[in-house]
Amino acid sequence: MSVAGGIAPSVLDTLEFPAALERVAAHAAGPLGAARVRDRAPATDPEPIRAALAQVAELAALLLHDDAIRAEPVPDIGPALELLAVPGSALEGLQLAALGRALGAARLTAATLARIARDAPRTAALRVEPPPKKLEQRLMQSLDADGAVLDAASRALARTRQHVREARQRLIAKLEAMLGALDSTDRAPDAAVTLRGGRYVIPIRSTARSRVGGIVHDESATRSTVFVEPPEVIELGNALRAAEAEQQREVLRVLRELTDLLRPRRDSLAAAWEMCIAFDDLCARARYAVAVNGFAPVIGTGPLAIRSGRHPLLTGAETPVVPFDLVLAPDEVTVLVSGPNTGGKTVLIKAVGLLCLMVQSGIIPPLGPQSALPVFGAVFADIGDRQSIAASLSTFSAHVAALRDILEHAGPGALVLLDEIGSGTDPAEGGALAAAVLRTLTRRRVVTLATTHLGALKQLAAETVGIVNASLQFEAETLTPTYRLLKGVPGRSYGLAIARRLGIAADVLAMAERAVPDAERALDALLATVEARARELETRAQELAARDAALREDAAKLDARGDAVAAREREVRARAQTLEREAREQARAYLLEARRKVEAALGRARAAVDEATAREARRLVEQAIEATTGETTGEKAGEGGKGKAERWLSLEELRRRRRQRSRSVGCGSTRQRHSSSRRSMRPCSPISPISG
């Protein structure tokens, strides 16, 4: 993103832009990602700004559902990459260990970007193919976290280090034996084998130097103790030094080998490192957008439209921030904010400037949905007391110098923020100068936000096309600010009211009120009427909103009750259908059983050979019919299914059939008695089985 050359560093400092970037950088995973955020600057090309905001919005939306997306911190491998570009160079162990950690971070980052590629294609565009994993594994096997070369780096290194350990053990054992053999008067107090100048020595008293002999490598501050390498261990010391030199040569060989292994991959290493830093920067901006509940604004050349805007440095504090809406019509370019002190006017115009700078830096600030911001090619700010004793500038002179600079350089596409314009001098002259400046900037179509206490400037909106009044609401009864921006209405200063509340004498206040010009007094009375009417309308709107909410709540309860009743009705209908189906199935089962019993009895009756058998068959038939009738009618009546059972078989029908079967059985018995030649019973009329 190209840096806006029309935004001076002093303006960025005035609007506290670095502090806002620090808030965003706090969400970075590593110091390099945080530094990348702090280095961001406003751009002036709309397309890169739109692309950056779309990328942030895409990742922020994904973070709301997938908090596992995290950037990986990477060490600073810039110097190592530069050294890799030098042929024949060798990296130090610490640099190679840092490269190994960077390779691991690049591998994890590339995997994360590949995983979210479908849901976040703009973010996934950062992905580059990292170097092969075997490079990372080789570095991890060869070096520890502090860059020391491990024994596993090479067999020769492991062998030389074993030689060093053995030579050291022999040397120390020899020195300890010699020290133990010395007389106590020759040994130094608490004597032990120690190291001086890279050589192992023993501490002895200076008086025993001639008796022990050897090379003196050091002495105590009082010169009463000298550190001697006895002649008997000089060769052992030399052997140790030789083994250590061989070890160091092997370490350097390993470092050079690892460097040569990485040198062909320098470009891919640099690209993977950049991927990690860029993704950390993007994640920090996305997490900030989620934290402040920010929405990406529409970027274009249309009028300024800030909805639910909040000052970035006040968001997240314990005190809740009152959001503001500032929406300009196409023919409005200058907003003149008036009202009492401590009402939040300066905070408002600084918030507008800071929000615009952050958006043009690719950051989604605390903005509500449907906001729209033009791209400002230059930003000017005259905020605060610019008095300078060293430069012999009074407050008014400093403001005039700032206004001169603004008038010389501000043109279409610029943003101008003016705090207390026209103050610091005679109100009449200051008001006249301020009015001329505002009219000039308005004619140039420069978006301008200015604050003022001068009553004369409040009439500019009625006299000049493009200028609109605004105020920050003030509670008249309690004389406390509400920080709510009201566009189209100038604010009252409440100077005398505040003085009365702070205890100024009544006669002094009465004298001051008489001194206020009639026009000012009439305007203040009119504004008071407008404020009262606005509060009344706001109260009525709140009451209507509360009533509407209550009605919606009641309607929702009725809908829920209706749904519950409908669900209960469906449940009852389903239960009734289930009971009816079960009743039909049970009745059918009973009737089928009855038919089986009747047919069995009839079969026995037809096969009867004497009257006793016929009577027994008749008894069984009657018993089966009565039992079946009792079960069917009794159980179904108990379940509320009597009517359904009676549709299948009525009690009268059962009785009629029983009588018919009885006559048939009796007729068969008579035939058997009068016709001795016939051995089988034939009924007078056929009996059809009871159909289910």
Side-chain angles (χ1 to χ4, degrees):
M1 298 174 66
S2 60
V3 178
I7 303 178
S10 60
V11 173
L12 299 178
D13 292 337
T14 298
L15 298 179
E16 299 179 274
F17 182 67
L21 290 181
E22 195 64 42
R23 292 285 186 96
V24 184
H27 294 271
L32 295 182
R36 180 68 59 88
V37 173
R38 296 187 195 99
D39 290 340
R40 302 193 74 83
T44 57
D45 188 353
E47 287 306 320
I49 296 174
R50 293 191 188 100
L53 295 179
Q55 196 178 38
V56 175
E58 176 189 73
L59 184 57
L62 197 58
L63 286 173
L64 292 174
H65 309 286
D66 188 358
D67 193 52
I69 301 174
R70 298 193 177 278
E72 296 293 330
V74 289
D76 186 3
I77 61 173
L81 291 175
E82 293 178 359
L83 196 56
L84 280 177
V86 180
S89 60
L91 298 177
E92 297 179 355
L94 197 59
Q95 293 175 315
L96 289 169
L99 284 170
R101 293 195 298 273
L103 284 171
R107 177 173 50 81
L108 295 175
T109 300
T112 299
L113 292 174
R115 179 174 65 85
I116 65 175
R118 186 184 64 178
D119 299 324
R122 293 184 179 89
T123 302
L126 295 174
R127 186 182 185 278
V128 299
E129 192 65 30
K133 188 177 180 180
K134 63 181 182 181
L135 290 178
E136 176 191 352
Q137 293 174 339
R138 177 66 186 280
L139 291 174
M140 294 298 103
Q141 292 170 357
S142 303
L143 303 162
D144 65 10
D146 296 327
V149 180
L150 302 174
D151 290 354
S154 74
R155 293 182 179 179
L157 180 60
R159 186 171 56 253
T160 57
R161 283 184 172 170
Q162 180 63 27
H163 293 164
V164 169
R165 285 192 292 270
E166 293 173 353
R168 183 180 295 111
Q169 289 174 358
R170 287 194 298 269
L171 175 59
I172 293 176
K174 181 66 175 177
L175 287 172
E176 287 178 343
M178 294 182 66
L179 187 62
L182 289 177
D183 188 81
S184 60
T185 58
D186 294 338
R187 291 197 304 266
D190 300 326
V193 177
T194 186
L195 199 64
R196 288 292 187 275
R199 306 286 292 194
Y200 283 93
V201 296
I202 56 175
I204 63 174
R205 296 185 183 276
S206 56
T207 56
R209 175 181 175 183
S210 59
R211 289 190 295 274
V212 175
I215 302 173
V216 176
H217 289 278
D218 197 5
E219 60 183 2
S220 65
T222 60
R223 297 184 178 182
S224 61
T225 301
V226 293
F227 297 89
V228 176
E229 183 181 15
E232 295 88 344
V233 299
I234 290 178
E235 287 303 322
L236 292 177
N238 292 339
L240 175 61
R241 294 293 292 269
E244 290 176 342
E246 180 63 23
Q247 171 188 279
Q248 187 60 30
R249 283 193 295 270
E250 183 59 23
V251 167
L252 293 176
R253 189 195 67 78
V254 170
L255 294 178
R256 190 175 299 278
E257 179 182 351
L258 294 175
T259 303
D260 293 339
L261 189 65
L262 292 173
R263 183 170 283 113
R265 304 284 184 176
R266 178 188 176 279
D267 292 340
S268 61
L269 272 169
W273 183 52
E274 172 60 26
M275 172 187 66
C276 294
I277 299 174
F279 185 56
D280 194 6
D281 169 29
L282 177 59
C283 281
R285 288 180 285 144
R287 292 189 182 279
Y288 174 78
V290 172
V292 300
N293 193 27
F295 291 81
V298 176
I299 301 299
T301 57
L304 180 75
I306 295 178
R307 304 181 189 275
S308 295
R310 287 146 287 156
H311 195 293
L313 297 182
L314 299 180
T315 303
E318 295 181 359
T319 304
V321 179
V322 179
F324 66 91
D325 293 337
L326 180 59
V327 181
L328 299 184
D331 61 340
E332 296 172 345
V333 292
T334 300
V335 180
L336 189 60
V337 186
S338 54
N341 290 321
T342 71
K345 300 187 302 297
T346 303
V347 173
L348 171 69
I349 64 172
K350 291 179 72 173
V352 172
L354 193 51
L355 291 173
C356 294
L357 292 177
M358 294 180 72
V359 166
Q360 292 183 211
S361 301
I363 299 170
I364 298 179
L367 280 176
Q370 300 180 354
S371 297
L373 296 179
V375 176
F376 295 109
V379 178
F380 302 91
D382 179 23
I383 300 175
D385 189 358
R386 293 176 173 268
Q387 178 177 325
S388 173
I389 298 176
S392 300
L393 288 176
S394 65
T395 300
F396 181 70
S397 299
H399 284 304
V400 170
L403 291 176
R404 180 193 60 201
D405 182 67
I406 292 172
L407 291 173
E408 289 178 356
H409 299 98
L415 174 66
V416 174
L417 307 172
L418 301 173
D419 189 29
E420 299 296 346
I421 185 172
S423 61
T425 187
D426 179 75
E429 293 184 353
L433 178 61
V437 170
L438 293 176
R439 287 193 178 99
T440 301
L441 295 175
T442 302
R443 284 196 300 269
R444 295 182 186 176
R445 306 295 297 176
V446 176
V447 177
T448 305
L449 274 75
T451 67
T452 185
H453 282 290
L454 300 178
L457 294 181
K458 300 176 184 179
Q459 302 177 6
L460 278 179
E463 301 171 355
T464 308
V465 176
I467 300 179
V468 60
N469 278 316
S471 61
L472 286 162
Q473 193 179 54
F474 206 74
E475 191 62 46
E477 288 77 9
T478 61
L479 295 179
T480 56
T482 66
Y483 303 109
R484 294 184 57 193
L485 179 64
L486 302 176
K487 181 189 165 191
V489 180
R492 300 165 59 195
S493 294
Y494 289 97
L496 296 180
I498 293 174
R500 180 177 293 105
R501 184 172 184 177
L502 294 178
I504 299 298
D507 56 339
V508 176
L509 290 174
M511 188 183 306
E513 289 175 350
R514 289 193 298 271
V516 175
D518 293 341
E520 292 285 341
R521 191 181 297 111
L523 178 59
D524 190 72
L526 178 61
L527 292 178
T529 303
V530 171
E531 289 181 3
R533 180 60 176 167
R535 286 193 296 271
E536 179 183 351
L537 292 175
E538 183 179 359
T539 302
R540 292 184 59 186
Q542 292 176 351
E543 293 175 353
L544 291 175
R547 188 180 304 173
D548 183 60
L551 291 175
R552 285 197 298 270
E553 183 178 357
D554 292 342
K557 291 180 180 178
L558 290 176
D559 291 342
R561 181 62 177 169
D563 293 340
V565 171
R568 182 60 179 167
E569 289 178 353
R570 289 192 297 270
E571 181 182 351
V572 170
R573 284 197 298 270
R575 179 61 178 165
Q577 292 174 358
T578 302
L579 292 175
E580 183 177 358
R581 183 171 60 255
E582 292 176 353
R584 285 199 301 268
E585 292 174 354
Q586 291 181 7
R588 181 176 179 84
Y590 291 143
L591 293 175
L592 289 175
E593 177 66 19
R595 185 173 71 176
R596 186 188 64 77
K597 292 180 179 181
V598 169
E599 288 178 350
L602 289 176
R604 294 181 59 184
R606 292 189 187 100
V609 295
D610 55 16
E611 184 177 356
T613 304
R615 283 198 302 271
E616 179 65 17
R618 185 166 57 249
R619 186 185 66 79
L620 292 175
V621 170
E622 291 176 353
Q623 182 180 354
I625 292 174
E626 289 176 358
T628 304
T629 303
E631 291 175 359
T632 304
T633 58
E635 292 186 13
K636 296 310 173 185
E639 296 182 7
K642 180 179 180 181
K644 303 179 182 63
E646 289 178 350
R647 285 199 299 271
W648 290 86
L649 186 66
S650 66
L651 182 60
E652 292 299 328
E653 179 67 17
L654 291 173
R655 290 174 178 172
R656 186 184 64 77
R657 293 187 180 187
R658 184 178 63 180
R659 288 194 297 269
Q660 183 179 357
R661 292 189 184 94
S662 298
R663 288 195 299 271
S664 300
V665 173
C667 181
S669 299
T670 304
R671 289 185 181 185
Q672 185 178 17
R673 291 196 301 270
H674 292 286
S675 180
S676 58
S677 62
R678 303 178 65 178
R679 296 300 182 185
S680 62
M681 183 187 71
R682 296 181 181 274
C684 298
S685 61
I687 299 178
S688 301
I690 301 174
S691 63

